[in-house]
Amino acid sequence: QVQLVESGGGLVQAGGSLRLSCAASGRTVTPYTTAWFRQAPGKEREFVAAITWDGTVTYYADSVKVRFTISRENTVSLQMNSLKPEDTAVYYCAAGPYSGTYYRPDEYNYWGQGTQVTVSS
């Protein structure tokens, strides 16, 4: 069983930055991919970014490309720059076996509890 815990959310003004972290504990499935998804009120959960188990390959949604950076060291981090009000959502960390459809929530076995990111205009 794998436990994921997100941290780093908060309130920031438009144009500002936040850094989210995802810490994993327990027995991990390797090789595995770790991803960030987000869900705004009344909307479906959407893919944000993903990184492979060895950190060599990253994927981004078009809406966050250039502004967000995913990285992996001891934890998986999501550096979010130039934040916009439309980035406001609960952000979830997810982990699962590598899949070509990394952008699908149902490809991931493990999920964190989520962390709120609010961007004010």
Side-chain angles (χ1 to χ4, degrees):
Q1 190 72 14
V2 175
Q3 292 80 42
L4 303 174
V5 179
E6 303 99 335
S7 61
L11 172 64
V12 64
Q13 288 188 332
S17 299
L18 281 174
R19 187 178 182 87
L20 306 183
S21 293
C22 175
S25 61
R27 186 171 67 89
T28 57
V29 177
T30 56
Y32 64 97
T33 296
T34 304
W36 288 95
F37 287 80
R38 66 186 182 186
Q39 188 165 19
K43 295 188 176 181
E44 293 187 352
R45 192 165 297 191
E46 67 171 352
F47 170 76
V48 175
I51 188 167
T52 52
W53 69 277
D54 57 359
T56 59
V57 181
T58 57
Y59 306 96
Y60 295 95
D62 287 343
S63 60
V64 306
K65 205 172 290 185
V66 177
R67 299 188 298 123
F68 291 11
T69 302
I70 190 170
S71 61
R72 178 192 293 276
E73 292 186 3
N74 292 327
T75 62
V76 173
S77 298
L78 184 69
Q79 178 66 41
M80 306 186 294
N81 298 327
S82 302
L83 283 162
K84 305 175 181 180
E86 51 263 46
D87 293 318
T88 295
V90 177
Y91 283 69
Y92 296 91
C93 177
Y98 175 78
S99 168
T101 50
Y102 53 85
Y103 49 86
R104 293 174 57 98
D106 56 6
E107 293 292 346
Y108 296 86
N109 306 97
Y110 305 104
W111 292 83
Q113 80 289 351
T115 186
Q116 176 70 47
V117 171
T118 303
V119 184
S120 63
S121 57

